Amino acid sequence: MNELRSSAGAMARGAASTAAVLVRSTLGSADGRSLTRRYRSRADHWTFMFAQITGYSFVVLVLTGVFLTFYFDPSMARAPYDGPYEPLRGVPVSRAYDSTMELSFEVRGGLLMRQVHHWAALIFCASIALQLLRLFFTGGFRRPRLLNWLIWVGLFTLGMVASLTGTILPDDMLSGGSLLLTKGVLESIPVVGTHLQRFVFDGDFPGEVIIGRVYWLHVLVLPLAIGGALAHRRRLMVRQHGHTRFAPGSAARRLGSHHVTRLRAAIVDAPKPASIAMFLYTCGVLALLGGFVQINAIWQYGPFEPGAITAGAVPGWYMAFLDGAVRIMPGWELDVVGHPLTLAVLVPAIVVPGAFFTALALWPLGEAIVTGDRAEHHVLDRPRDRPARTGAGAAGIAFYGLLWLAAANDQIALNFHLDLFAVTWFFRVAVFAGPVAAFVVANRICHHLTRRERQVAVHGRETGRIVMDAQGRFTELHTRPAADPLAELDSPEHRLLADTLKE
């Protein structure tokens, strides 16, 4: 009997040792890093690189901007151009335009710095937009990350304003078009519009001070605001709520908010060598774009002349949706108590973007109220698992994209030999019908994908192999989906064993 008991005890100790090895190999070491090995590889998921690119693009913007400030003169005083560009020799230009031309043709590396700076601004805004899309479709804005979401929405707005003010500084024909649009938007504001326009331009348009005012806004106020927002966002991520993460397969449903407290310390940033490599890669791509892809060639546009505009000119991609909204808006104007109310500018340039960004900022609160979900979430959703949210995101993309395309309605009509009014009316209809169609299609795709997953979970995956049984009946072979290695480890017994190993 004693031998039998000793044998049973040895078997129990062996089983416990085997289980310990299994848990250690799967969960990680016993120094507080439980369940890290599976999720450490998910802490630097490729979609997280958008935030890194945003920060690294901002660093490039600051470095190149410091270089440019040593040579740029934000004065609107005019004098004949006497630089090396022969077609403009003798043409009256402002000091802002002349110093930009000097940067482009006379300062060693000046044109490269200008173009790298411009490309960095475009990629900065693009990476913020992609980060917002990633956060939206995966639910990364939910509690406790509402403030993080608001920071990203604010960064996108600040990035648009910073890029717009940078476009205005050279005082060329393209920047003059932006100034004309700004003047029209200010004047369309009821009651105070005219006074606000005269305050901004210090009198009649374009005045003598607008470049200087925009200069200090561009080089001091906006960079400090953007840098502060990025630093605060970093502090929130490191010290408070940590990284979100993608959970593979069914583990996403098992490792919910009630497991995150134990796992939060395990989710770390991407390895430092990877971050350094991403920074160098971002700098390299921007250097290549600045060296080989020409952008904002102000010598081809010429200096700004009030009352003139460059044919075929369009704004940067980040402002194109505003230009498109203005182009397709009917020329409505009302007379209210003897004061004209220009809806043709007020609605597309102020009401539409204001409503769009307000809805974007308040979406997390609205979703929490509608769904009643106020729990903390640290595991990201798959878009297919939230069909209503995914459909709404697709509708927003369609709305934004159609306005973006409408900014080129004249170029579309010219290159495809279409009637300009027909193209404009197409966008007027599509901007309402397109988002509805996008919502329906995206919603149905999500439902189809989830139904197919449930069918695979019940019946297995089709193999395409047909076999005949002894009775002569033909059936198709199905393979069962692979079991999740963390599924069995998410039980009370294994959690107890993991805690025992930690002790």
Side-chain angles (χ1 to χ4, degrees):
M1 182 63 69
N2 293 333
E3 294 179 357
L4 181 59
R5 288 177 180 173
S6 61
S7 177
M11 292 177 62
R13 288 191 297 271
S17 176
T18 303
V21 172
L22 172 63
V23 173
R24 285 196 179 99
S25 62
T26 308
L27 299 181
S29 62
D31 56 353
R33 294 178 294 176
S34 59
L35 292 179
T36 63
R37 191 166 298 176
R38 181 64 176 260
Y39 288 97
R40 187 181 295 276
S41 61
R42 298 280 172 170
D44 56 349
H45 191 271
W46 67 269
T47 56
F48 294 164
M49 72 179 181
F50 300 139
Q52 296 182 26
I53 293 175
T54 299
Y56 299 152
S57 299
F58 180 70
V59 172
V60 175
L61 280 169
V62 171
L63 295 177
T64 54
V66 169
F67 175 88
L68 296 176
T69 55
F70 285 108
Y71 299 95
F72 181 74
D73 184 358
S75 172
M76 298 184 69
R78 301 180 72 84
Y81 177 74
D82 59 352
Y85 189 67
E86 190 66 31
L88 288 178
R89 189 72 63 85
V91 176
V93 298
S94 65
R95 276 296 304 152
Y97 185 86
D98 185 63
S99 61
T100 308
M101 290 289 290
E102 181 182 354
L103 259 169
S104 303
F105 290 101
E106 301 178 60
V107 175
R108 188 181 299 274
L111 181 59
L112 176 63
M113 287 295 180
R114 274 195 61 232
Q115 299 197 149
V116 168
H117 189 77
H118 200 122
W119 277 114
L122 296 179
I123 291 180
F124 177 78
C125 293
S127 59
I128 294 176
L130 292 173
Q131 174 72 358
L132 284 172
L133 290 175
R134 199 270 293 176
L135 291 174
F136 183 87
F137 284 108
T138 61
F141 52 79
R142 295 173 297 179
R143 186 185 176 198
R145 293 176 176 82
L146 173 59
L147 182 56
N148 180 67
W149 169 259
L150 293 176
I151 288 175
W152 282 112
V153 174
L155 278 173
F156 190 51
T157 306
L158 290 173
M160 291 171 54
V161 176
S163 300
L164 177 63
T165 54
T167 304
I168 291 173
L169 289 180
D171 199 27
D172 61 320
M173 286 297 295
L174 199 59
S175 65
S178 299
L179 282 176
L180 283 170
L181 180 60
T182 304
K183 171 180 176 292
V185 171
L186 292 175
E187 290 178 339
S188 69
I189 300 175
V191 182
V192 299
T194 303
H195 303 287
L196 187 60
Q197 180 265 325
R198 294 183 66 85
F199 171 76
V200 170
F201 290 96
D202 194 26
D204 296 331
F205 177 85
E208 299 292 334
V209 300
I210 187 61
I211 298 296
R213 291 179 175 181
V214 170
Y215 174 78
W216 290 111
L217 180 65
H218 181 75
V219 303
L220 185 62
V221 178
L222 292 173
L224 288 176
I226 293 173
L230 288 173
H232 188 56
R233 177 255 169 192
R234 176 70 180 174
R235 180 179 178 275
L236 287 175
M237 184 187 68
V238 173
R239 296 190 178 183
Q240 295 189 21
H241 47 63
H243 270 296
T244 54
R245 61 197 176 281
F246 292 92
S250 60
R253 293 181 290 276
R254 291 184 174 87
L255 297 177
S257 58
H258 60 289
H259 285 216
V260 170
T261 303
R262 185 163 56 90
L263 298 175
R264 186 179 300 171
I267 305 305
V268 296
D269 292 338
K272 288 186 178 179
S275 299
I276 295 174
M278 178 59 71
F279 173 69
L280 296 177
Y281 181 79
T282 303
C283 294
V285 170
L286 290 174
L288 289 175
L289 288 172
F292 295 99
V293 183
Q294 180 175 280
I295 191 170
N296 198 21
I298 63 168
W299 53 90
Q300 296 181 356
Y301 308 142
F304 173 57
E305 295 293 338
I309 193 169
T310 301
V314 294
W317 74 266
Y318 45 86
M319 298 294 294
F321 79 104
L322 286 178
D323 190 19
V326 172
R327 291 190 184 206
I328 65 176
M329 180 70 186
W332 295 342
E333 184 171 326
L334 303 177
D335 189 23
V336 181
V337 196
H339 296 278
L341 185 61
T342 309
L343 298 179
V345 180
L346 178 66
V347 171
I350 295 180
V351 176
V352 170
F356 181 81
F357 283 104
T358 301
L360 194 64
L362 297 181
W363 178 271
L365 295 177
E367 181 175 306
I369 293 173
V370 171
T371 62
D373 183 6
R374 300 180 184 276
E376 288 194 3
H377 293 274
H378 300 270
V379 177
L380 297 175
D381 293 329
R382 296 182 308 168
R384 68 182 66 180
D385 295 329
R386 298 291 185 268
R389 182 202 298 155
T390 303
I397 292 175
F399 179 75
Y400 186 95
L402 286 168
L403 291 180
W404 186 78
L405 284 175
N409 62 343
D410 55 341
Q411 297 299 313
I412 293 174
L414 177 65
N415 289 282
F416 291 95
H417 307 288
L418 300 173
D419 181 67
L420 177 61
F421 294 101
V423 174
T424 303
W425 270 104
F426 167 79
F427 282 112
R428 287 175 178 174
V429 175
V431 78
F432 293 101
V436 176
F439 177 88
V440 172
V441 172
N443 190 278
R444 291 189 176 183
I445 290 175
C446 290
H447 283 294
H448 170 74
L449 292 174
T450 53
R451 282 197 304 268
R452 189 177 67 177
E453 284 187 342
R454 286 194 295 268
Q455 292 173 358
V456 170
V458 173
H459 303 288
R461 192 177 303 277
E462 297 179 357
T463 63
R465 295 174 57 194
I466 307 297
V467 297
M468 183 176 65
D469 58 16
Q471 288 75 29
R473 294 175 298 187
F474 291 91
T475 57
E476 183 181 11
L477 295 179
H478 290 71
T479 59
R480 294 295 179 183
D484 187 353
L486 285 185
E488 298 179 357
L489 297 173
D490 192 39
S491 61
E493 294 79 5
H494 284 89
R495 289 200 297 271
L496 178 60
L497 181 58
D499 295 335
T500 304
L501 290 173
K502 288 167 58 177
E503 297 174 358

